[in-house]
Amino acid sequence: STQSTWVFDSLTDIISEMADNVSAEGDTLALEEQNRYLAIFRRFYMDVNDLQFKKQKRLEEADRAMRNAEYQIAVSSETLDPNLKLYREQTKELRVRKVELAD
């Protein structure tokens, strides 16, 4: 009876130690996975911000080009510039481009 109690106590200690080791290993693996996920998410977040910045710059460039074309239309109306039709086409193309960029 004393020997069986000792065997059960020993087995309980061994099983408890093994469970603690497995739990610690699981915690370590979970932490490693979280760190990998965080690194990937950080890269994704930076890439999205970079793309948003580039998109904003392209929208600003399209706005600037459109204002320039509208100015050329206004000036060419007064000076009888033969490129008036070209400026109007550019304005239409820039409006389409701006809508495409905004989406």
Side-chain angles (χ1 to χ4, degrees):
S1 132
T2 310
Q3 190 174 5
S4 64
T5 304
W6 177 80
V7 169
F8 285 121
D9 288 342
S10 296
L11 287 175
T12 303
D13 291 342
I14 291 171
I15 291 171
S16 178
E17 185 179 329
M18 290 175 72
D20 290 344
N21 288 342
V22 168
S23 178
E25 185 178 338
D27 291 345
T28 301
L29 291 173
L31 182 61
E32 289 172 3
E33 184 62 26
Q34 287 175 346
N35 287 336
R36 276 194 298 271
Y37 176 82
L38 182 61
I40 291 168
F41 179 78
R42 184 179 298 125
R43 272 185 300 202
F44 171 76
Y45 189 78
M46 296 301 286
D47 288 345
V48 167
N49 282 336
D50 188 42
L51 289 172
Q52 285 178 332
F53 177 78
K54 288 178 181 179
K55 179 180 178 180
Q56 185 63 33
K57 284 294 181 188
R58 287 187 179 133
L59 282 169
E60 290 171 5
E61 289 171 7
D63 280 341
R64 191 173 17 258
M66 209 157 87
R67 282 194 308 271
N68 188 30
E70 289 169 350
Y71 174 76
Q72 291 291 354
I73 290 170
V75 170
S76 66
S77 298
E78 297 171 5
T79 61
L80 302 175
D81 188 341
N83 295 322
L84 179 60
K85 187 175 180 180
L86 173 69
Y87 300 141
R88 287 186 177 146
E89 286 297 318
Q90 283 178 341
T91 304
K92 288 178 189 176
E93 290 172 9
L94 287 168
R95 282 192 184 117
V96 169
R97 181 175 169 207
K98 187 176 174 185
V99 168
E100 290 172 352
L101 285 172
D103 289 338

